[in-house]
Amino acid sequence: MYRSNNCGELRSGNIGQSVTLSGWVQRIRNLGGMTFIDLRDRYGITQLVADEGVDEKVTEVIGSLGREYVIKCKGLVLERTNKNPKISTGDIEVQIQHIKVLNPSELPPFTIEDETDGGDELRMKYRYLDIRRNPVKNALLLRHKVAQAVRRYLDSQNFIEVETPFLIKSTPEGARDFVVPSRMHTGEFYALPQSPQTFKQLLMVAGMDKYFQIVKCFRDEDLRADRQPEFTQIDCEMSFVEQDDILETFEGMITSLFSEVAGVDFKQPFQRMTYSDAMAIYGSDKPDVRFEMCIRDLTSIAKGKGFGVFDNADYIGGIVAEGCAEYTRKQLDDLTNFIQRPQVGGKGLIWVKIDANGDVKSSVDKFYSSDELLAWAEYMNAKKGDLMLIMAGSNAKTPEVLGTLRLEMADRLNLRDRCKFAPLWVVDFPLLEWDEESSRFYAKHHPFTSPISTDIHLFDSDPAAIRANAYDLVINGVEIGGGSIRIFDRKLQHQMFKVLGFTEAEAEDQFGFLLNAFKYGAPPHGGVAFGFDRLCAIIGGSDSIRDYIAFPKNNAGRDVMINTPSILSQIQLNELGVMVKPKE
Amino acid sequence: MYRSNNCGELRSGNIGQSVTLSGWVQRIRNLGGMTFIDLRDRYGITQLVADEGVDEKVTEVIGSLGREYVIKCKGLVLERTNKNPKISTGDIEVQIQHIKVLNPSELPPFTIEDETDGGDELRMKYRYLDIRRNPVKNALLLRHKVAQAVRRYLDSQNFIEVETPFLIKSTPEGARDFVVPSRMHTGEFYALPQSPQTFKQLLMVAGMDKYFQIVKCFRDEDLRADRQPEFTQIDCEMSFVEQDDILETFEGMITSLFSEVAGVDFKQPFQRMTYSDAMAIYGSDKPDVRFEMCIRDLTSIAKGKGFGVFDNADYIGGIVAEGCAEYTRKQLDDLTNFIQRPQVGGKGLIWVKIDANGDVKSSVDKFYSSDELLAWAEYMNAKKGDLMLIMAGSNAKTPEVLGTLRLEMADRLNLRDRCKFAPLWVVDFPLLEWDEESSRFYAKHHPFTSPISTDIHLFDSDPAAIRANAYDLVINGVEIGGGSIRIFDRKLQHQMFKVLGFTEAEAEDQFGFLLNAFKYGAPPHGGVAFGFDRLCAIIGGSDSIRDYIAFPKNNAGRDVMINTPSILSQIQLNELGVMVKPKE
């Protein structure tokens, strides 16, 4: 027997018991002839102690120990004289009677402490050591809890977890598919799913009514900082539902999840906001509504007063930074530099300060009188001591830049509280997106997304104005999930394909088996998918998903621990019937 | 709103209520002016009724309906005059007030009934229709329940579900790996995991203590009748455990599972049997112990009596078929033909009948006296009316053939009751397997399987005799899972690699990152993996796993519904940097 207890469970109630513990040596201290060993396992740390009078064999073993050695120890649970209220076992210690090294350890390449001296690449290479650290271990424990809670909730709501296949079919538009050569069918390939979208719709045709799956998905794309080539979704679909049914069901899930795992209580229903409001008021389709600082449209009151920059702009808008009237020239220049960074793409920034006396000072006071500026202030609800930040430009771009500035100001003002969670649904997304380069519409969500019924008449006159029965769940400015009501009517589906520029043959080629399935009684249905990695990170209060994934890949899509991807032997390639294309 | 209730929930308590139902038309009957529609969804069937006096519009819609049409119906719940006790809603019917076709259906290619007229290929091609049938739907519901029960149990035992990566590394011995070309790293490949074996061991090094995952695994091999290229495992690993800890934990899981999902109660501990006993007594390493019919070794009492076939054999053994003394010549010839089939590989079959009077008759009564044959009968515990079936041959092969004959006789005698479940652990498997062709040992389980400590001294003298700390769970003659205690001691690991003929460099190349991890304090650990598809099939009382997989592949590894694998466009291949090898 390796242990009678784990390292996190002994309490004062166990005093006097003889116990056996196993774990890792976290730390050894020698204090006046007494030796203290912090023994660690997943469950906690227990202090082992050997005093001077201990058996010689014990002393010898203790002398040989180093950090991260795996040991087994038998001893007596004693009350501690110096209790440690910081750890759950802090009332007791175990007096060592027998001790045995189960496995020695070389010196780890970085310290196994909450704050480590290991850099990112080193931690990734020795991920199995990194996971021993509390922050990573706790992130994985949280992920486990979230997964179990999601399943319990959806199971209680009559959802059925169905595993959809991983070896599926690549589509001509599947440029980002990972593919898998078939050995049995030389020259043919499977593809890994970017999502189980078509399969979950088939399950609705199959009458499964309520489906879910926590499932790996794959996308072979250039990786931005916080993307992974394989990622996990909570994928869901329901039949005989309208948008409200789905929003209610899944805000129920999110509420139950946050309550159970994070002790956070949400009020239902969640806030709902149209895409066009989100863009106008927050300059983003995923607004962070933990704080106000809404964008106000100043076009009608600020335009046409002889200030060329404003007069030539389609749109003028601004935000109010509360209590920032004291901003220095340097701070204001800083903000201008911020919005002019290429990834933000702003041009100029106009500021108006209202000092403590109610007097205004502005970068445009040559063009606008105090009264005019005070009228802006009143319109924007700016008070004494506040700073108005104003931009002008195109209707599409300027609110977005203002939205980015809004988040930046919130960061500077500490308005984005990690312990506060503000969920909302963004609804009524545009159905279509115009691509200038190829001069055609793309489906913003996917080609089976249903338009809002009252907008269907716009298919011929103004397709860009059609709103979709599509929705995103946003928490704290992060898109956590999204979905749509699907088209189940064949005539409407044909209209959709037509506007997307698909010929019958192309539609048949790409979506044939789904269209075929729809001939045999497809129910009205819709669904949603949540980014599971991201959801866990949000609940854990982290910006990065990486610590919530046991074995993540780096930004180059590489697992540096096992060193993959890697080359294959010629024999293996021959067997698969593929060749590596020679470099040009 | 599409429905106020589903099609399985209305009871007599709902009589008088106005309800809205949606679902599929299972059947329409016209009886003396009354029309009855069976409306179906996942939850059940509800009878809709329209009598002669109904609104003309309703009549018109009803007249347009066909099987599998999706409809929505509003109506009043009435008490049925002819109650149907066979269905849960059999006390009521819904009087149609409004009815609407949500989606019409073409005539399905096979009938959506429990017994269908569709063949296997057709059902696979239209799997989304096949799933509407109760047998398949219920199999998937059962699978869901099993998965949730497994997770609940393991969660309650402090196991943590950790997702391991799917894009991993191919090993030189990974001849059956599916591989995935990397677009970002041209010429390099990922591999899909055949199992998360190394990752779960790394998680033990990482201190996760108790890990599980219900996870897809992939193996690119010629498919036997009931294998799939992608299959699901319940994969588990524990630290600081010995074999007994693992067997106890997982017979707990299996017991809880069968009790919860199948209402079957198992007694713990499960029966345990050594591999050598299983081979000797049942001629199989996965004995079906629902029935006795044990193999008895007759070598010492039947050899050396002048019957050449026996005298030249290393081994003589037999089984007793109770009550089969009346078997005809034809029936006995049949059995001989059965064991002589190439896949069984037997040679001859000797029979001895003991008739109702206790007289013996045998195919070898030229060589053995009645007394001698009666002595066999006594030794084998054969009674009046029984038939003894005896074979001779090599020590290794003959018990196996007897084992196959034993199962065949059990089938003929209906001894393999589908409602009876007999779990057992087979333990003490051989550590190594000698391969004649390559003249070397292979690890029977895998190279990290630990030998039984008392057998370690055999590494130099008799490696073939070393028993492993490995175990299989067998239910009703089917291997449900298996695992082992792992080697965590580096010296022992080197001994193992040596006996397997790995050079240091080869071991480093194949298992480098795991061996490297073991340097930093690997705990003693062990685990088990269960075939989830097979487990579900067993609980569901089925021989075939296919109905327990939502979208299975056929024997050629092909998904005939979506038609994959398939060829890729040249553009896509170019982007991936791979070419299809021209056929020779």
Side-chain angles (χ1 to χ4, degrees), chain A residues 43 103 132 143-144 155 163 166 175 183 185 188-190 209 230 232 520 522 556-558 566 579, chain B residues 3 43 103 132 143-144 155 163 166 175 183 185 188-190 209 230 232 520 522 556-558 566 579:
Chain A
Y43 310 93
N103 223 346
R132 290 187 190 165
R143 184 184 179 102
H144 164 75
D155 182 48
E163 293 172 55
F166 281 87
R183 190 189 314 263
H185 305 278
E188 299 189 343
F189 294 78
Y190 301 100
D209 205 77
E230 49 176 311
T232 305
Y520 297 100
R558 188 170 280 287
S566 59
M579 297 159 65
Chain B
R3 60 187 175 193
Y43 311 92
N103 223 344
R132 291 186 190 165
R143 185 185 178 101
H144 164 75
D155 182 48
E163 293 172 55
F166 280 88
R183 189 189 315 263
H185 305 278
E188 298 189 344
F189 294 78
Y190 302 99
D209 205 75
E230 50 176 310
T232 305
Y520 297 100
R558 188 170 281 287
S566 59
M579 297 158 66

Side-chain angles (χ1 to χ4, degrees), chain B residues 268-561:
Chain B
Q268 287 179 260
F270 291 176
Q271 185 182 351
R272 294 173 196 195
M273 190 186 293
T274 64
Y275 170 85
S276 63
D277 278 354
M279 293 309 294
I281 302 173
Y282 297 96
S284 168
D285 61 359
K286 38 180 192 285
D288 185 343
V289 294
R290 279 176 294 183
F291 60 97
E292 289 281 335
M293 211 193 286
C294 298
I295 298 170
R296 294 303 302 265
D297 182 342
L298 289 162
T299 317
S300 60
I301 62 168
K303 198 171 164 172
K305 310 282 173 166
F307 177 42
V309 175
F310 280 13
D311 291 354
N312 296 326
D314 290 329
Y315 171 93
I316 307 160
I319 56 173
V320 175
E322 278 182 39
C324 293
E326 303 292 315
Y327 259 38
T328 62
R329 180 85 229 167
K330 186 176 169 306
Q331 281 174 304
L332 291 165
D333 286 348
D334 233 33
L335 291 181
T336 304
N337 290 338
F338 171 80
I339 62 144
Q340 288 176 342
R341 294 190 311 170
Q343 61 270 47
V344 181
K347 288 176 190 158
L349 184 65
I350 305 301
W351 53 263
V352 182
K353 294 172 176 178
I354 309 169
D355 69 16
N357 300 321
D359 296 333
V360 290
K361 207 176 157 192
S362 166
S363 53
V364 290
D365 40 22
K366 275 185 212 155
F367 302 96
Y368 297 91
S369 69
S370 275
D371 284 350
E372 280 173 318
L373 296 175
L374 282 171
W376 296 6
E378 196 183 338
Y379 179 72
M380 290 178 72
N381 206 19
K383 305 261 180 312
K384 286 175 189 174
D386 291 351
L387 169 70
M388 295 188 278
L389 295 167
I390 297 164
M391 284 178 216
S394 72
N395 276 314
K397 184 73 189 168
T398 312
E400 275 185 42
V401 179
L402 275 167
T404 309
L405 177 64
R406 175 180 173 270
L407 294 178
E408 174 67 16
M409 288 310 301
D411 279 336
R412 292 179 185 223
L413 297 170
N414 282 319
L415 301 178
R416 307 182 77 181
D417 181 353
R418 269 173 199 282
C419 299
K420 190 174 164 185
F421 297 94
L424 93 153
W425 292 105
V426 178
V427 299
D428 296 355
F429 276 81
L431 183 71
L432 303 165
E433 214 164 18
W434 180 257
D435 183 60
E436 285 294 343
E437 206 173 311
S438 56
S439 256
R440 51 164 280 200
F441 281 113
Y442 281 89
K444 194 167 166 79
H445 201 65
H446 61 71
F448 294 93
T449 297
S450 165
I452 287 183
S453 58
T454 51
D455 286 0
I456 292 179
H457 68 279
L458 297 169
F459 262 111
D460 292 323
S461 54
D462 188 7
I466 302 172
R467 289 166 300 164
N469 237 323
Y471 33 81
D472 275 359
L473 178 68
V474 175
I475 302 182
N476 295 0
V478 178
E479 182 203 324
I480 294 298
S484 67
I485 297 295
R486 325 300 181 186
I487 299 174
F488 69 101
D489 176 78
R490 298 181 64 201
K491 233 168 54 195
L492 189 54
Q493 190 64 61
H494 280 293
Q495 264 186 306
M496 183 68 176
F497 282 142
K498 205 175 132 198
V499 81
L500 293 174
F502 283 103
T503 64
E504 291 281 294
E506 282 166 346
E508 177 60 32
D509 191 44
Q510 274 196 50
F511 303 107
F513 62 94
L514 190 54
L515 295 176
N516 200 41
F518 278 14
K519 290 180 193 163
Y520 297 100
H525 62 289
V528 66
F530 297 92
F532 185 61
D533 308 302
R534 177 77 51 208
L535 179 61
C536 292
I538 280 269
I539 297 177
S542 169
D543 287 332
S544 165
I545 61 173
R546 212 177 272 178
D547 279 349
Y548 293 82
I549 298 171
F551 299 101
K553 304 218 167 18
N554 71 9
N555 291 348
R558 188 170 281 287
D559 182 330
V560 294
M561 180 184 74

Side-chain angles (χ1 to χ4, degrees), chain A residues 312-349:
Chain A
N312 296 325
D314 291 331
Y315 171 94
I316 307 160
I319 57 172
V320 175
E322 278 184 40
C324 294
E326 304 291 317
Y327 258 39
T328 63
R329 181 86 229 166
K330 186 177 169 304
Q331 282 174 303
L332 292 165
D333 287 348
D334 233 34
L335 291 181
T336 304
N337 291 338
F338 172 80
I339 63 144
Q340 287 176 343
R341 293 190 310 170
Q343 61 269 47
V344 182
K347 288 176 189 159
L349 184 65

Side-chain angles (χ1 to χ4, degrees), chain A residues 348-396:
Chain A
L349 184 65
I350 305 302
W351 53 264
V352 182
K353 294 172 176 177
I354 309 169
D355 69 16
N357 301 322
D359 296 334
V360 289
K361 206 177 158 192
S362 167
S363 53
V364 291
D365 40 22
K366 274 184 213 156
F367 303 95
Y368 296 91
S369 69
S370 274
D371 283 350
E372 280 174 317
L373 295 175
L374 283 171
W376 296 6
E378 196 182 340
Y379 179 72
M380 289 178 74
N381 206 19
K383 305 263 181 310
K384 287 176 189 173
D386 290 351
L387 169 70
M388 295 189 278
L389 296 167
I390 297 163
M391 284 177 216
S394 71
N395 276 314

Side-chain angles (χ1 to χ4, degrees), chain B residues 53-116:
Chain B
V54 82
D55 189 295
E56 212 170 283
K57 278 188 211 154
V58 170
T59 313
E60 200 177 305
V61 173
I62 290 179
S64 76
L65 297 180
R67 278 185 174 232
E68 302 305 318
Y69 272 49
V70 184
I71 61 170
K72 172 178 151 177
C73 163
K74 202 179 159 190
L76 203 63
V77 183
L78 302 180
E79 182 167 12
R80 274 211 219 181
T81 42
N82 284 321
K83 296 201 171 47
N84 180 352
K86 285 187 199 153
I87 61 173
S88 62
T89 62
D91 285 351
I92 59 91
E93 61 193 3
V94 173
Q95 189 180 42
I96 303 171
Q97 288 164 338
H98 298 282
I99 186 164
K100 187 183 169 187
V101 174
L102 297 173
N103 223 344
S105 172
E106 292 188 7
L107 192 70
F110 51 84
T111 54
I112 314 292
E113 303 277 359
D114 291 6
E115 298 288 331
T116 181

